[in-house]
Amino acid sequence: MTLRHKKSSVFSNFMKRVAGTTKSEDKSLARPVPTVPTPENVTMMQAFEWYIPADHQHWRRLEAALPSLKSIGVDNIWIPPGCKASSPQGNGYDIYDLYDLGEFDQKGSRGTKWGTKEELMQLLERAEQIGIGIYWDAVLNHKAAADHTERCKVVKVDPDDRRKTISKPFEIEAWLGFDFPGRQNRYSSQKYHWHHFSGTDYDNKTGKSAIYKIVNKNWSTGVDTEKGNYDYLMFADVDYSNPEVVADVKNWGSWMGNELKIKGIRFDAVKHYSEDFLKEFIAHLDQDVGKGWFFVGEFWKDSLEHMQGYLKRMGHHFSLFDVPLVYNFSRISRTDKADLRRVFERTLVKHEPKSAVTFVMNHDTQPMQALEAPIADFFKPLGYALILLRAEGYPCVFYGDLYGIMNEKRPAPPSCAGRLPDLSLARKLYAYGKQHDYFDTPHCIGWVRRGTWDRPSGLACIMSNTGPGQKRMLVGASHRGEIWSDVLGNEKMEVRIDDKGYGKFTCQGHSVSVWVNRMADVTATYTGHTIDASRMRIVYRMEWLDLWYGKDSSLSISDLAPSPPPYREASFHEESDIREIYSIFLKYTPLPPELILPIFDLAELWLLLNAENDDMIRVSQATGDHPYVTSPPIQGQGKQPVKKVVFRITSHDQGWSTNDRRLHGTHEGSYTWFEAWVFPAPDREGKAPRKRRLCTNIHASLENQTRTLIWRADEEGENGEWVRSLRQGDQISIVPLARFPGWANFVVEAKIKIYTGVLV
């Protein structure tokens, strides 16, 4: 959320604890209360993009990101294909073995591009604990990277009309033998040979490529009619008329359902293999594993009629990704003065809303992919508002839009100017109730959600694809007198809802604004997630960015990606931000300054001074005692401005000593250590630095040791007294020391963080 809304929510929570209620709650209590709770909005995320590095760390990456994804309203994630691919770099759509989830040494590695099976299981376990569902990406149409070739008779077919044969039967040497030697029959003893496939695309004997249909085989009839019959897509085309194939894949489904804690499946390329088999497979899962799974298919075709026909044949026990909507987004965003009122024209979400999974971009439509559907940068937040904040459809947020795209040739930062988390959270908190559209002008449209009895906030959304826009929209008489502001922060003004429930809402040109009551509480309706003073942060997005890139995680960006992205945001301890929060408290709450500042202290909303040095040095008795790193002069408010000091030191000694060997590996008998020296402010010049011991190296050890010391002003004892003695203008140094010949202090790095109260 933006600064204004987030801090209003903090105050709202505080006042609840003090007074027990809020004005908005008073209004809701005055209404007749229905007995049925409003279902919580659900959001899916595609948890990968095509160009994620092949570092085999993605399962760990996602596990680290789960809490932050939950905090922005993500309920389920669609993970990439986790079965063994043709190579360690394969994304999984070049599938080799359904039963190898990164467990067996096959095709050049044990793990998949995404990680090992053990790491996958840890991800699933953690997701279940947090309350995020996992959707598996099932690639059932084909197999790739066979273990050996086999001879079989084939005919060539016309690539533009696969019903037409363009050669006489002849023999080829095809890569159609799958033995899975690394797995050694674990989980399944089924081997695949030429008769388990209906076609392939390469003759190893001649080195020629074509579409070869195996003699006495027929393409499936339950596929799309594009190219006459679109059964064949790529690699070795699996034949679902073969009973052994059907039995093996159904067995895999049962094994997966019992082996993994997943809640649904995304089926790849469903228009290319038998509809009858897929219905049979889903019925088998219902019976053998249990009902209640979510199933969605990739039926890639810009045709509403074909998609509706497929859903009807599947018995609507199924959803599809709304491909026509993405093409509408692409066309409108790149057309000057396009008509926004037509954005849902001939889309699945308009005509089959309960079966539509809506999205703005995915791994196939992202830049430099075969199905690329370019969307102008300005339109990305408009597109996400259209799928996240409306009543229809099941929206899917794209990893590449949330975290950026790591394509070396065309990298991209997070879309929506980093505000996609705000839009996602706005869906979770505010997008409830009756929807009324204001699609009354071609270049500026809007809608309102009026809230429900138990989720009363509601919202108003307005967007423009030309110049600034304005609309008078009815949010409901229950909101009269409320002051609304823009969650995204694009509009700085505020809107007062009049006595009839109308507000005049605005947006910037080529932009979108999402308006809600400025006092809307972010905790009242978000099951399982609470934002209170202990989580108060200036930039909400920083929490998930920091977690993702390792600032507060055991993972680091150097472990997980080639280099830090250029779009990292600044630290949240910015004085201007803290001052803005302080002014918001003064303006919108009755709290006096003497109560506001203690709240800031409880939230640890402090200024941060950083000092660090990573030059490796050797300190001995001969080199003398000199500061290794020194902080800037302390700033802050009052006689005791410093709230907390954090020291972090990495070092070791010379690795040997002639002292009692029983002391080796302990801190006893060690003569290399660190001290904190406080140099008084210039107006106290002439005073010697105050010295205090920090830590001692382990005796006779070459292994780097990292120690973090946290001293707080509110703690008792000598550490607390030391912090409370610090004054404005003082500077703190970390000084490495060593005594006696032969002893050496090898310093790798050291950091000082000083947290001070804000000057207000």
Side-chain angles (χ1 to χ4, degrees):
M1 303 204 52
T2 59
L3 185 69
R4 178 164 48 251
H5 285 82
K6 195 162 194 303
K7 305 319 155 194
S8 297
S9 70
V10 173
F11 170 64
S12 175
N13 293 335
F14 173 79
M15 292 304 294
K16 279 184 177 182
R17 293 194 289 268
V18 174
T21 188
T22 65
K23 291 182 179 180
S24 65
E25 288 176 327
D26 288 341
K27 291 180 181 179
S28 67
L29 290 173
R31 304 170 184 163
V33 180
T35 57
V36 180
T38 305
E40 189 172 270
N41 287 333
V42 179
T43 301
M44 182 198 314
M45 174 192 167
Q46 179 182 353
F48 64 101
E49 57 100 2
W50 193 262
Y51 298 104
I52 285 176
D55 56 8
H56 315 290
Q57 298 291 330
H58 197 57
W59 296 147
R60 293 177 62 220
R61 216 181 257 120
L62 291 179
E63 182 184 356
L66 287 172
S68 55
L69 293 175
K70 185 68 175 179
S71 74
I72 63 169
V74 172
D75 302 281
N76 300 292
I77 62 172
W78 151 29
I79 63 175
C83 301
K84 185 60 63 69
S86 65
S87 75
Q89 295 76 38
N91 280 354
Y93 296 105
D94 52 338
I95 187 169
Y96 165 68
D97 186 359
L98 282 169
Y99 291 93
D100 184 356
L101 308 182
E103 184 177 4
F104 306 101
D105 188 2
Q106 300 187 116
K107 298 305 168 185
S109 67
R110 180 172 177 270
T112 67
K113 173 181 178 177
W114 318 110
T116 65
K117 183 180 180 181
E118 292 82 0
E119 291 164 343
L120 171 64
M121 301 299 278
Q122 291 173 14
L123 166 64
L124 302 186
E125 182 70 29
R126 181 64 173 146
E128 184 180 53
Q129 293 171 0
I130 289 177
I132 290 182
I134 301 291
Y135 297 157
W136 189 262
D137 198 333
V139 183
L140 305 181
N141 175 72
H142 52 264
K143 289 187 180 295
D147 298 305
H148 57 85
T149 61
E150 295 185 348
R151 295 180 178 276
C152 60
K153 284 192 174 182
V154 299
V155 292
K156 286 185 182 180
V157 300
D158 185 340
D160 295 320
D161 187 348
R162 279 80 182 280
R163 298 169 299 181
K164 295 181 179 179
T165 299
I166 57 175
S167 77
K168 294 182 178 180
F170 64 101
E171 187 177 80
I172 67 171
E173 185 181 309
W175 288 96
L176 296 175
F178 292 79
D179 297 330
F180 315 114
R183 183 158 50 82
Q184 296 183 346
N185 296 328
R186 185 118 183 242
Y187 309 127
S188 169
S189 60
Q190 179 66 51
K191 315 298 181 187
Y192 281 72
H193 303 286
W194 67 266
H195 51 85
H196 294 113
F197 302 98
S198 55
T200 188
D201 62 353
Y202 183 72
D203 180 4
N204 192 62
K205 182 168 62 176
T206 64
K208 292 182 178 180
S209 297
I211 299 179
Y212 302 108
K213 184 166 72 74
I214 296 173
V215 170
N216 296 325
K217 293 278 189 174
N218 295 309
W219 300 128
S220 171
T221 57
V223 297
D224 190 56
T225 56
E226 187 179 348
K227 299 183 184 297
N229 178 294
Y230 218 166
D231 184 355
Y232 186 82
L233 177 63
M234 62 178 70
F235 301 120
D237 190 60
V238 175
D239 179 12
Y240 283 105
S241 69
N242 186 303
E244 290 183 341
V245 170
V246 171
D248 186 55
V249 177
K250 287 168 67 175
N251 176 69
W252 171 81
S254 298
W255 172 74
M256 281 282 293
N258 291 293
E259 184 87 356
L260 304 182
K261 296 179 178 180
I262 57 178
K263 293 189 175 180
I265 298 178
R266 179 259 187 192
F267 292 98
D268 183 59
V270 294
K271 74 175 186 178
H272 297 286
Y273 62 94
S274 168
E275 296 171 3
D276 290 338
F277 166 74
L278 188 52
K279 286 190 288 186
E280 183 180 346
F281 180 77
I282 291 174
H284 171 75
L285 290 181
D286 285 346
Q287 180 177 357
D288 198 55
V289 181
K291 295 185 178 181
W293 283 28
F294 173 75
F295 299 115
V296 59
E298 180 218 19
F299 188 98
W300 200 266
K301 194 160 191 174
D302 187 12
S303 169
L304 174 63
E305 290 76 15
H306 282 82
M307 299 182 85
Q308 287 180 308
Y310 188 88
L311 287 171
K312 184 177 180 180
R313 293 190 297 275
M314 292 297 293
H316 287 268
H317 187 62
F318 211 71
S319 294
L320 293 176
F321 290 98
D322 196 344
V323 175
L325 179 63
V326 169
Y327 284 122
N328 282 359
F329 285 165
S330 179
R331 174 182 52 80
I332 289 174
S333 76
R334 296 180 300 123
T335 302
D336 186 40
K337 296 182 179 180
D339 192 340
L340 288 174
R341 296 172 298 182
R342 302 181 62 184
V343 68
F344 293 115
E345 193 171 88
R346 299 188 61 75
T347 61
L348 199 64
V349 72
K350 179 177 180 180
H351 296 275
E352 304 283 350
K354 293 183 179 179
S355 300
V357 174
T358 54
F359 65 107
V360 176
M361 183 171 283
N362 72 7
H363 66 291
D364 284 322
T365 69
Q366 71 179 86
M368 298 187 69
Q369 284 301 291
L371 300 174
E372 179 178 354
I375 295 178
D377 289 343
F378 88 88
F379 196 84
K380 281 286 186 73
L382 279 66
Y384 273 108
L386 286 162
I387 70 171
L388 287 167
L389 304 181
R390 294 179 60 79
E392 302 84 13
Y394 181 5
C396 181
V397 174
F398 180 45
Y399 175 102
D401 285 327
L402 189 60
Y403 293 116
I405 292 173
M406 300 192 71
N407 183 354
E408 292 182 1
K409 294 182 179 179
R410 288 176 62 183
S415 71
C416 307
R419 289 172 177 156
L420 183 50
D422 298 342
L423 286 164
S424 178
L425 189 56
R427 170 178 173 80
K428 179 66 70 174
L429 300 175
Y430 309 126
Y432 297 95
K434 186 177 180 181
Q435 177 174 290
H436 184 78
D437 289 339
Y438 290 81
F439 285 29
D440 47 2
T441 57
H443 309 307
C444 179
I445 61 174
W447 66 90
V448 298
R449 304 293 301 276
R450 294 178 180 168
T452 63
W453 70 274
D454 56 342
R455 302 180 185 273
S457 297
L459 62 80
C461 184
I462 179 173
M463 63 181 62
S464 169
N465 67 340
T466 54
Q470 176 177 299
K471 286 190 181 295
R472 182 173 180 265
M473 297 191 289
L474 178 66
V475 296
S478 62
H479 297 289
R480 59 180 177 269
E482 294 177 354
I483 305 299
W484 287 34
S485 53
D486 181 9
V487 167
L488 302 181
N490 294 327
E491 291 286 68
K492 307 305 180 185
M493 59 173 288
E494 294 179 330
V495 173
R496 184 185 181 278
I497 308 303
D498 67 23
D499 290 343
K500 294 183 179 180
Y502 283 90
K504 291 183 179 179
F505 302 101
T506 60
C507 67
Q508 299 293 315
H510 294 88
S511 184
V512 59
S513 287
V514 181
W515 298 83
V516 305
N517 180 1
R518 74 180 183 201
M519 297 302 290
D521 179 20
V522 303
T523 66
T525 60
Y526 193 174
T527 302
H529 181 67
T530 300
I531 300 174
D532 58 22
S534 67
R535 282 182 53 85
M536 197 156 116
R537 294 293 182 266
I538 302 302
V539 183
Y540 187 85
R541 293 180 293 279
M542 276 303 299
E543 294 196 358
W544 54 265
L545 280 173
D546 285 342
L547 180 60
W548 184 255
Y549 290 114
K551 181 174 178 181
D552 297 316
S553 168
S554 59
L555 301 177
S556 67
I557 186 65
S558 61
D559 293 329
L560 304 181
S563 60
Y567 41 84
R568 286 291 308 268
E569 298 184 36
S571 166
F572 52 70
H573 297 86
E574 295 288 344
E575 183 171 5
S576 59
D577 289 331
I578 299 176
R579 286 181 178 277
E580 184 174 354
I581 297 177
Y582 184 79
S583 66
I584 290 172
F585 268 73
L586 287 178
K587 183 176 181 180
Y588 296 118
T589 77
L591 299 176
E594 58 268 24
L595 186 54
I596 295 175
L597 292 178
I599 293 175
F600 277 32
D601 286 344
L602 287 172
E604 297 192 2
L605 194 58
W606 301 323
L607 292 175
L608 171 61
L609 294 177
N610 268 314
E612 59 183 89
N613 188 355
D614 59 3
D615 294 333
M616 296 184 64
I617 65 169
R618 177 184 182 275
V619 176
S620 66
Q621 181 171 287
T623 62
D625 305 338
H626 305 286
Y628 175 73
V629 58
T630 301
S631 74
I634 292 172
Q635 302 175 13
Q637 175 175 272
K639 294 182 178 180
Q640 297 177 353
V642 179
K643 307 297 182 180
K644 179 172 68 173
V645 180
V646 179
F647 302 96
R648 184 178 176 88
I649 300 168
T650 302
S651 62
H652 62 84
D653 72 3
Q654 69 283 348
W656 62 273
S657 86
T658 58
N659 293 354
D660 188 342
R661 294 186 61 85
R662 289 176 296 180
L663 301 180
H664 292 192
T666 75
H667 291 97
E668 296 185 34
S670 175
Y671 293 100
T672 62
W673 72 98
F674 293 84
E675 292 179 353
W677 291 11
V678 178
F679 292 88
D683 59 358
R684 301 194 295 280
E685 191 172 351
K687 291 186 178 182
R690 302 193 307 277
K691 302 178 181 180
R692 178 169 173 76
R693 196 180 188 97
L694 287 171
C695 58
T696 303
N697 284 324
I698 291 179
H699 189 150
S701 173
L702 289 174
E703 183 178 351
N704 285 335
Q705 302 291 321
T706 299
R707 285 124 314 167
T708 301
L709 295 85
I710 303 174
W711 296 354
R712 301 177 58 96
D714 57 3
E715 66 178 284
E716 297 180 358
E718 294 181 356
N719 293 344
E721 291 178 5
W722 184 88
V723 175
R724 292 190 292 272
S725 73
L726 297 170
R727 298 291 180 263
Q728 294 178 20
D730 289 351
Q731 292 180 267
I732 303 173
S733 295
I734 295 177
V735 182
L737 299 105
R739 290 295 181 266
F740 305 119
W743 288 86
N745 194 341
F746 291 85
V747 186
V748 178
E749 66 173 354
K751 301 178 181 180
I752 307 172
K753 291 186 176 183
I754 305 171
Y755 297 85
T756 63
V758 64
L759 291 166
V760 293

